[in-house]
Amino acid sequence: MTDKLLSPVRLGALELKNRVVMAPLTRCRAINPGTVPNELMVRYYTQRASAGLIISEGTLVSPQGRGYPFTPGIWSEEQVAGWRLVTEAVHAQGGKIVCQLWHCGRLSLPQYHDGQPPVSASAINPEIKMFNGAGLSDTVTPRALSVEDIQAVVADFGRAAKNAIDAGFDGVEVHSSNGYLFHQFFSACSNTRTDAYGGSFENRARIFFDVLDAIAKVMPLDRVGFRLNPMMNGMHGMTVDADTVAMWEHVVRGANRYGLAYLHLTEVMDPKQIEGNPHALAQVSAHFRPIAHMPLISNGRFDQAKSEQFLDAGLCDAVAFGVPWIANPDLVERFARKAPLNAADPNTFYMGGEKGYVDYPALDPSLMA
C-alpha cells in the first residue's frame, strides 16, 4: 500500500497538504434563533483542521432552503460573523475550509416555512419521512417554483458565495446531489416542468449553470466545487432511470467549461441500492473520470486501503470521509500511523451538544512515539 492519501494535491486554486478530505456532515448544532455558527462549532472544526480540505456541513443560502432543525445559514450578517470565527480558527491551525452551499427544496417540512409547503422543481411529493427535531414526519407536496422564484434562488446562491468569501472560506461547494434542490431539477422523477427549466437535459440543468454564472460574478471559479450522487436510487425520493447517466454526463460536460476546482462524486454506498436496476452504474468515479476535466474527490464509505487503491488507479485525486471524521478528529494522524479508529455513535449524529461532537478522544500519546 502507498501513502498517496497523505501526499499534497492541488484542486483548482486550493493547495491541499494531504488528500484526506472531510466530507460535509450535517450535525444540527447551530442551536440558536438565528442558526448562527457558535463556539461549539468552532471547536468541532478546529479539531479537524489537519484535513487536507474541510467541506463544511450543508449551509443554507436562505430560510427557504431549510429542511432540518438547527442547520446553519449564510444569508445574515450574524451568520457570516459566526462562520468567520470558524474559518479563522481552522486557518490558524494550517487548515483549509470551503462552504457547502445548500437548498433542500422539497426535502423539508411545513414547520420550517411558517406552515407553508416547501418548494421544488415540480409539485411532486417525495413521499419520505423527514426529521422534525424530535422524530419523523411525512413530507408534503411542494410548491413548484415559478421562473421568477428560480431567479431569486439563483441570486440567493450568488449572495451566499459572496458571504462565504467575506466569512473567510477558501471556496465553496455547490450541493447539487442527494435529492436536494438541484437534484430535483435534474431528475425526471421530480421534474415534470414544460418551461425552460424542464424537459431536455439542457433545461433541467439550467438552474445549476445559472448558479455557477452567478457565483462567477463574486469569486474565482477555481475555488468552486460541486457534488453529485448519480446513483442515489430509492432514497430521498430519487430514482435511477433510463436517462440518469446521460443526464449526469450532460451536467459534468457542461461544468467542464467553467474551470472548477473539483467534482465531488459519491460512489454506490450499498450494492442493494442499485440491485436489479439495468440503468445503474456500479462504479461511479471510473465512469466519470474520463468525462470530467477537473479534479475528482471520491466519497462513499471508503477506508484507508480502498482510498489508496482509488488514488493509485487514478480514479480520483482525493477522498472524502464522513463518519470516520465524526469519531476521529485526528483522522490524518491515525492514517499516518495505521492506528485503529474510534467508533462513531449514530445516536449523536444529528442532535445533542458536546457529546458525540467534540468529545471523541485523540490518539493515545503512547502510540505516537
mmCIF file of all heavy atoms in Angstrom, residues 48-80:
data_model
loop_
_atom_site.group_PDB
_atom_site.id
_atom_site.type_symbol
_atom_site.label_atom_id
_atom_site.label_comp_id
_atom_site.label_asym_id
_atom_site.label_seq_id
_atom_site.Cartn_x
_atom_site.Cartn_y
_atom_site.Cartn_z
ATOM 1 N N ARG A 48 -10.491 19.314 13.621
ATOM 2 C CA ARG A 48 -10.343 18.528 12.398
ATOM 3 C C ARG A 48 -9.561 19.267 11.312
ATOM 4 O O ARG A 48 -9.592 18.885 10.142
ATOM 5 C CB ARG A 48 -11.736 18.113 11.902
ATOM 6 C CG ARG A 48 -12.379 17.106 12.857
ATOM 7 C CD ARG A 48 -13.908 17.087 12.821
ATOM 8 N NE ARG A 48 -14.402 16.052 13.723
ATOM 9 C CZ ARG A 48 -14.514 16.188 15.056
ATOM 10 N NH1 ARG A 48 -14.178 17.344 15.637
ATOM 11 N NH2 ARG A 48 -14.964 15.197 15.804
ATOM 12 N N ALA A 49 -8.818 20.308 11.717
ATOM 13 C CA ALA A 49 -8.106 21.154 10.759
ATOM 14 C C ALA A 49 -6.929 20.457 10.089
ATOM 15 O O ALA A 49 -6.343 21.002 9.150
ATOM 16 C CB ALA A 49 -7.627 22.428 11.446
ATOM 17 N N SER A 50 -6.577 19.249 10.521
ATOM 18 C CA SER A 50 -5.497 18.520 9.853
ATOM 19 C C SER A 50 -5.940 17.928 8.516
ATOM 20 O O SER A 50 -5.107 17.444 7.743
ATOM 21 C CB SER A 50 -4.975 17.397 10.755
ATOM 22 O OG SER A 50 -6.011 16.480 11.075
ATOM 23 N N ALA A 51 -7.231 17.971 8.220
ATOM 24 C CA ALA A 51 -7.711 17.522 6.910
ATOM 25 C C ALA A 51 -7.056 18.342 5.810
ATOM 26 O O ALA A 51 -6.778 19.532 5.983
ATOM 27 C CB ALA A 51 -9.231 17.670 6.832
ATOM 28 N N GLY A 52 -6.830 17.703 4.665
ATOM 29 C CA GLY A 52 -6.352 18.467 3.520
ATOM 30 C C GLY A 52 -7.343 19.549 3.151
ATOM 31 O O GLY A 52 -6.971 20.668 2.771
ATOM 32 N N LEU A 53 -8.624 19.220 3.260
ATOM 33 C CA LEU A 53 -9.696 20.173 3.000
ATOM 34 C C LEU A 53 -10.898 19.779 3.832
ATOM 35 O O LEU A 53 -11.295 18.613 3.852
ATOM 36 C CB LEU A 53 -10.082 20.170 1.511
ATOM 37 C CG LEU A 53 -11.223 21.111 1.106
ATOM 38 C CD1 LEU A 53 -10.797 22.574 1.264
ATOM 39 C CD2 LEU A 53 -11.675 20.843 -0.331
ATOM 40 N N ILE A 54 -11.470 20.746 4.533
ATOM 41 C CA ILE A 54 -12.758 20.558 5.200
ATOM 42 C C ILE A 54 -13.835 21.129 4.286
ATOM 43 O O ILE A 54 -13.744 22.285 3.854
ATOM 44 C CB ILE A 54 -12.805 21.288 6.557
ATOM 45 C CG1 ILE A 54 -11.823 20.685 7.549
ATOM 46 C CG2 ILE A 54 -14.223 21.247 7.129
ATOM 47 C CD1 ILE A 54 -11.727 21.457 8.858
ATOM 48 N N ILE A 55 -14.830 20.318 3.977
ATOM 49 C CA ILE A 55 -16.036 20.817 3.330
ATOM 50 C C ILE A 55 -17.067 20.982 4.443
ATOM 51 O O ILE A 55 -17.399 20.022 5.134
ATOM 52 C CB ILE A 55 -16.557 19.854 2.250
ATOM 53 C CG1 ILE A 55 -15.454 19.553 1.227
ATOM 54 C CG2 ILE A 55 -17.778 20.456 1.542
ATOM 55 C CD1 ILE A 55 -15.818 18.462 0.227
ATOM 56 N N SER A 56 -17.523 22.188 4.644
ATOM 57 C CA SER A 56 -18.427 22.442 5.764
ATOM 58 C C SER A 56 -19.709 21.639 5.629
ATOM 59 O O SER A 56 -20.066 21.170 4.539
ATOM 60 C CB SER A 56 -18.776 23.929 5.838
ATOM 61 O OG SER A 56 -19.833 24.246 4.939
ATOM 62 N N GLU A 57 -20.404 21.514 6.736
ATOM 63 C CA GLU A 57 -21.761 20.968 6.696
ATOM 64 C C GLU A 57 -22.594 21.782 5.718
ATOM 65 O O GLU A 57 -22.287 22.945 5.418
ATOM 66 C CB GLU A 57 -22.389 21.044 8.073
ATOM 67 C CG GLU A 57 -22.536 22.447 8.631
ATOM 68 C CD GLU A 57 -22.580 22.441 10.138
ATOM 69 O OE1 GLU A 57 -23.673 22.241 10.692
ATOM 70 O OE2 GLU A 57 -21.521 22.626 10.766
ATOM 71 N N GLY A 58 -23.668 21.205 5.210
ATOM 72 C CA GLY A 58 -24.563 21.933 4.330
ATOM 73 C C GLY A 58 -24.997 23.227 4.987
ATOM 74 O O GLY A 58 -25.483 23.234 6.123
ATOM 75 N N THR A 59 -24.807 24.346 4.280
ATOM 76 C CA THR A 59 -25.058 25.671 4.835
ATOM 77 C C THR A 59 -26.100 26.368 3.967
ATOM 78 O O THR A 59 -25.909 26.547 2.762
ATOM 79 C CB THR A 59 -23.742 26.472 4.889
ATOM 80 O OG1 THR A 59 -22.789 25.734 5.676
ATOM 81 C CG2 THR A 59 -23.947 27.827 5.499
ATOM 82 N N LEU A 60 -27.201 26.747 4.582
ATOM 83 C CA LEU A 60 -28.373 27.211 3.847
ATOM 84 C C LEU A 60 -28.161 28.591 3.236
ATOM 85 O O LEU A 60 -27.692 29.507 3.913
ATOM 86 C CB LEU A 60 -29.586 27.229 4.765
ATOM 87 C CG LEU A 60 -29.958 25.858 5.348
ATOM 88 C CD1 LEU A 60 -30.955 25.998 6.476
ATOM 89 C CD2 LEU A 60 -30.497 24.946 4.250
ATOM 90 N N VAL A 61 -28.558 28.722 1.979
ATOM 91 C CA VAL A 61 -28.405 30.003 1.294
ATOM 92 C C VAL A 61 -29.543 30.961 1.610
ATOM 93 O O VAL A 61 -29.439 32.159 1.343
ATOM 94 C CB VAL A 61 -28.298 29.809 -0.237
ATOM 95 C CG1 VAL A 61 -27.077 28.951 -0.582
ATOM 96 C CG2 VAL A 61 -29.577 29.204 -0.822
ATOM 97 N N SER A 62 -30.630 30.431 2.183
ATOM 98 C CA SER A 62 -31.783 31.267 2.519
ATOM 99 C C SER A 62 -32.696 30.488 3.455
ATOM 100 O O SER A 62 -32.626 29.255 3.525
ATOM 101 C CB SER A 62 -32.568 31.634 1.253
ATOM 102 O OG SER A 62 -33.227 30.479 0.734
ATOM 103 N N PRO A 63 -33.594 31.171 4.174
ATOM 104 C CA PRO A 63 -34.568 30.454 5.002
ATOM 105 C C PRO A 63 -35.435 29.487 4.186
ATOM 106 O O PRO A 63 -35.844 28.439 4.686
ATOM 107 C CB PRO A 63 -35.410 31.579 5.611
ATOM 108 C CG PRO A 63 -34.506 32.769 5.608
ATOM 109 C CD PRO A 63 -33.691 32.629 4.352
ATOM 110 N N GLN A 64 -35.690 29.821 2.937
ATOM 111 C CA GLN A 64 -36.500 28.963 2.068
ATOM 112 C C GLN A 64 -35.875 27.591 1.870
ATOM 113 O O GLN A 64 -36.556 26.603 1.616
ATOM 114 C CB GLN A 64 -36.674 29.633 0.699
ATOM 115 C CG GLN A 64 -37.559 28.882 -0.279
ATOM 116 C CD GLN A 64 -37.386 29.396 -1.702
ATOM 117 O OE1 GLN A 64 -36.364 29.193 -2.325
ATOM 118 N NE2 GLN A 64 -38.411 30.081 -2.189
ATOM 119 N N GLY A 65 -34.546 27.510 1.994
ATOM 120 C CA GLY A 65 -33.840 26.259 1.733
ATOM 121 C C GLY A 65 -33.819 25.293 2.887
ATOM 122 O O GLY A 65 -33.319 24.177 2.746
ATOM 123 N N ARG A 66 -34.361 25.676 4.040
ATOM 124 C CA ARG A 66 -34.237 24.838 5.232
ATOM 125 C C ARG A 66 -35.010 23.529 5.095
ATOM 126 O O ARG A 66 -36.122 23.488 4.584
ATOM 127 C CB ARG A 66 -34.756 25.595 6.464
ATOM 128 C CG ARG A 66 -34.562 24.827 7.761
ATOM 129 C CD ARG A 66 -34.991 25.642 8.975
ATOM 130 N NE ARG A 66 -34.362 26.947 9.019
ATOM 131 C CZ ARG A 66 -33.094 27.154 9.347
ATOM 132 N NH1 ARG A 66 -32.313 26.133 9.650
ATOM 133 N NH2 ARG A 66 -32.603 28.374 9.364
ATOM 134 N N GLY A 67 -34.385 22.449 5.607
ATOM 135 C CA GLY A 67 -35.044 21.155 5.617
ATOM 136 C C GLY A 67 -34.894 20.401 6.919
ATOM 137 O O GLY A 67 -35.522 19.365 7.111
ATOM 138 N N TYR A 68 -34.042 20.924 7.811
ATOM 139 C CA TYR A 68 -33.731 20.248 9.067
ATOM 140 C C TYR A 68 -33.598 21.289 10.177
ATOM 141 O O TYR A 68 -33.323 22.466 9.907
ATOM 142 C CB TYR A 68 -32.412 19.469 8.953
ATOM 143 C CG TYR A 68 -32.376 18.444 7.855
ATOM 144 C CD1 TYR A 68 -32.015 18.796 6.556
ATOM 145 C CD2 TYR A 68 -32.713 17.112 8.098
ATOM 146 C CE1 TYR A 68 -31.984 17.858 5.533
ATOM 147 C CE2 TYR A 68 -32.674 16.160 7.085
ATOM 148 C CZ TYR A 68 -32.308 16.540 5.806
ATOM 149 O OH TYR A 68 -32.279 15.612 4.798
ATOM 150 N N PRO A 69 -33.708 20.870 11.423
ATOM 151 C CA PRO A 69 -33.538 21.822 12.522
ATOM 152 C C PRO A 69 -32.068 22.144 12.781
ATOM 153 O O PRO A 69 -31.192 21.302 12.586
ATOM 154 C CB PRO A 69 -34.143 21.067 13.722
ATOM 155 C CG PRO A 69 -33.910 19.622 13.400
ATOM 156 C CD PRO A 69 -34.074 19.519 11.905
ATOM 157 N N PHE A 70 -31.832 23.386 13.200
ATOM 158 C CA PHE A 70 -30.518 23.807 13.712
ATOM 159 C C PHE A 70 -29.381 23.644 12.716
ATOM 160 O O PHE A 70 -28.239 23.375 13.098
ATOM 161 C CB PHE A 70 -30.195 23.072 15.017
ATOM 162 C CG PHE A 70 -31.295 23.155 16.042
ATOM 163 C CD1 PHE A 70 -31.810 22.001 16.628
ATOM 164 C CD2 PHE A 70 -31.830 24.378 16.408
ATOM 165 C CE1 PHE A 70 -32.840 22.072 17.560
ATOM 166 C CE2 PHE A 70 -32.860 24.466 17.344
ATOM 167 C CZ PHE A 70 -33.362 23.317 17.929
ATOM 168 N N THR A 71 -29.695 23.781 11.430
ATOM 169 C CA THR A 71 -28.644 23.791 10.414
ATOM 170 C C THR A 71 -28.273 25.242 10.126
ATOM 171 O O THR A 71 -29.149 26.087 9.970
ATOM 172 C CB THR A 71 -29.110 23.079 9.133
ATOM 173 O OG1 THR A 71 -30.407 23.568 8.759
ATOM 174 C CG2 THR A 71 -29.191 21.580 9.339
ATOM 175 N N PRO A 72 -26.982 25.561 10.050
ATOM 176 C CA PRO A 72 -26.577 26.961 9.917
ATOM 177 C C PRO A 72 -26.857 27.513 8.530
ATOM 178 O O PRO A 72 -26.955 26.781 7.544
ATOM 179 C CB PRO A 72 -25.071 26.902 10.186
ATOM 180 C CG PRO A 72 -24.681 25.533 9.732
ATOM 181 C CD PRO A 72 -25.840 24.643 10.105
ATOM 182 N N GLY A 73 -26.964 28.827 8.484
ATOM 183 C CA GLY A 73 -27.128 29.515 7.211
ATOM 184 C C GLY A 73 -25.962 30.432 6.943
ATOM 185 O O GLY A 73 -25.033 30.548 7.737
ATOM 186 N N ILE A 74 -26.041 31.126 5.799
ATOM 187 C CA ILE A 74 -25.012 32.110 5.465
ATOM 188 C C ILE A 74 -25.634 33.276 4.702
ATOM 189 O O ILE A 74 -25.049 33.841 3.782
ATOM 190 C CB ILE A 74 -23.823 31.456 4.709
ATOM 191 C CG1 ILE A 74 -22.602 32.381 4.718
ATOM 192 C CG2 ILE A 74 -24.238 31.013 3.299
ATOM 193 C CD1 ILE A 74 -21.294 31.704 4.446
ATOM 194 N N TRP A 75 -26.856 33.653 5.126
ATOM 195 C CA TRP A 75 -27.519 34.782 4.493
ATOM 196 C C TRP A 75 -27.486 36.045 5.363
ATOM 197 O O TRP A 75 -27.692 37.137 4.854
ATOM 198 C CB TRP A 75 -28.961 34.441 4.123
ATOM 199 C CG TRP A 75 -29.870 34.220 5.309
ATOM 200 C CD1 TRP A 75 -30.505 35.184 6.054
ATOM 201 C CD2 TRP A 75 -30.247 32.974 5.882
ATOM 202 N NE1 TRP A 75 -31.243 34.601 7.058
ATOM 203 C CE2 TRP A 75 -31.116 33.246 6.971
ATOM 204 C CE3 TRP A 75 -29.955 31.648 5.568
ATOM 205 C CZ2 TRP A 75 -31.667 32.236 7.754
ATOM 206 C CZ3 TRP A 75 -30.516 30.641 6.356
ATOM 207 C CH2 TRP A 75 -31.362 30.944 7.426
ATOM 208 N N SER A 76 -27.229 35.911 6.655
ATOM 209 C CA SER A 76 -27.285 37.069 7.553
ATOM 210 C C SER A 76 -25.888 37.505 7.981
ATOM 211 O O SER A 76 -24.924 36.730 7.923
ATOM 212 C CB SER A 76 -28.112 36.739 8.795
ATOM 213 O OG SER A 76 -27.390 35.889 9.679
ATOM 214 N N GLU A 77 -25.781 38.762 8.417
ATOM 215 C CA GLU A 77 -24.506 39.276 8.903
ATOM 216 C C GLU A 77 -24.027 38.482 10.113
ATOM 217 O O GLU A 77 -22.825 38.230 10.267
ATOM 218 C CB GLU A 77 -24.632 40.758 9.267
ATOM 219 C CG GLU A 77 -24.842 41.671 8.065
ATOM 220 C CD GLU A 77 -24.924 43.129 8.465
ATOM 221 O OE1 GLU A 77 -24.712 43.433 9.662
ATOM 222 O OE2 GLU A 77 -25.199 43.967 7.586
ATOM 223 N N GLU A 78 -24.962 38.083 10.982
ATOM 224 C CA GLU A 78 -24.605 37.319 12.173
ATOM 225 C C GLU A 78 -24.038 35.953 11.801
ATOM 226 O O GLU A 78 -23.072 35.475 12.418
ATOM 227 C CB GLU A 78 -25.819 37.161 13.088
ATOM 228 C CG GLU A 78 -26.337 38.448 13.704
ATOM 229 C CD GLU A 78 -27.164 39.292 12.738
ATOM 230 O OE1 GLU A 78 -27.548 38.781 11.652
ATOM 231 O OE2 GLU A 78 -27.411 40.479 13.062
ATOM 232 N N GLN A 79 -24.625 35.319 10.803
ATOM 233 C CA GLN A 79 -24.118 34.024 10.354
ATOM 234 C C GLN A 79 -22.732 34.162 9.738
ATOM 235 O O GLN A 79 -21.848 33.334 9.985
ATOM 236 C CB GLN A 79 -25.097 33.409 9.351
ATOM 237 C CG GLN A 79 -26.409 32.967 9.979
ATOM 238 C CD GLN A 79 -27.487 32.710 8.942
ATOM 239 O OE1 GLN A 79 -27.392 33.144 7.791
ATOM 240 N NE2 GLN A 79 -28.541 32.015 9.353
ATOM 241 N N VAL A 80 -22.525 35.201 8.947
ATOM 242 C CA VAL A 80 -21.211 35.438 8.347
ATOM 243 C C VAL A 80 -20.166 35.631 9.452
ATOM 244 O O VAL A 80 -19.064 35.063 9.397
ATOM 245 C CB VAL A 80 -21.242 36.650 7.401
ATOM 246 C CG1 VAL A 80 -19.835 37.030 6.950
ATOM 247 C CG2 VAL A 80 -22.119 36.352 6.186
#
